[in-house]
């Protein structure tokens, strides 16, 4: 009897970051924001969710993710661009990280 080896597919770092960003945006959509009239407690809650998400990614993937242009824009929280600090202290965007990981596999 012959055994068949299952091939395990590891999730790449950029895929994990994009998954976390999608979950974060779903959670942020639930917070009632309204531009400058946003209740300060809701603004703190939104920025805490972003901070917690970045912390989870740092623990799981050993990279630091930052949203330096995050802001409350109208009826939603705009994350702006994402920057990723790699373990070798190189600062990259998600597209650059994806390109790097695709070259290595």
């Amino acid at each position: 009897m012959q055994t068949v080896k299952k091939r395990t597919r590891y999730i790449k770092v950029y895929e994990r970051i994009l998954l976390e960003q999608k979950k974060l945006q779903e959670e942020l959509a639930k917070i009632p924001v309204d531009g400058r009239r946003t209740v300060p407690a809701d603004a703190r809650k939104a920025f805490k969710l972003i901070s917690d998400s970045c912390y989870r990614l740092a623990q799981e993937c050993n990279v630091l993710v930052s949203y330096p242009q995050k802001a409350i824009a109208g009826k939603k929280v705009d994350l702006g661009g994402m920057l990723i600090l790699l373990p070798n202290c190189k600062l990259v965007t998600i597209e650059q990280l994806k390109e790097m990981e695709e070259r290595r596999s």
Side-chain angles (χ1 to χ4, degrees):
M1 196 148 85
Q2 187 174 345
T3 60
V4 178
K5 278 190 174 181
K6 278 191 174 181
R7 193 167 180 176
T8 305
R9 182 183 178 282
Y10 294 101
I11 187 166
K12 296 184 176 168
V13 175
Y14 80 90
E15 292 172 333
R16 177 64 185 100
I17 292 171
L18 291 175
L19 255 171
E20 186 67 30
Q21 183 180 20
K22 183 179 176 187
K23 287 194 309 190
L24 174 63
Q25 286 176 333
E26 289 171 0
E27 289 297 315
L28 290 174
K30 296 176 186 175
I31 298 174
V33 293
D34 188 19
R36 290 181 170 242
R37 290 176 281 189
T38 302
V39 178
D42 289 337
R44 279 193 302 273
K45 184 178 178 184
F47 293 130
K48 177 141 177 44
L49 281 173
I50 295 169
S51 177
D52 291 346
S53 172
C54 293
Y55 179 77
R56 273 192 301 276
L57 285 170
Q59 291 293 318
E60 292 176 20
C61 302
N62 294 328
V63 295
L64 297 177
V65 177
S66 174
Y67 298 97
Q69 300 168 347
K70 65 184 175 284
I72 295 175
K75 300 280 184 186
K76 66 178 186 130
V77 178
D78 183 23
L79 294 175
M82 175 193 314
L83 289 176
I84 303 158
L85 183 66
L86 300 177
N88 65 353
C89 297
K90 185 175 180 182
L91 202 57
V92 297
T93 63
I94 192 73
E95 292 84 19
Q96 291 169 326
L97 180 63
K98 180 178 179 180
E99 185 180 299
M100 289 167 62
E101 286 189 315
E102 293 298 328
R103 274 187 296 187
R104 291 186 178 224
S105 52

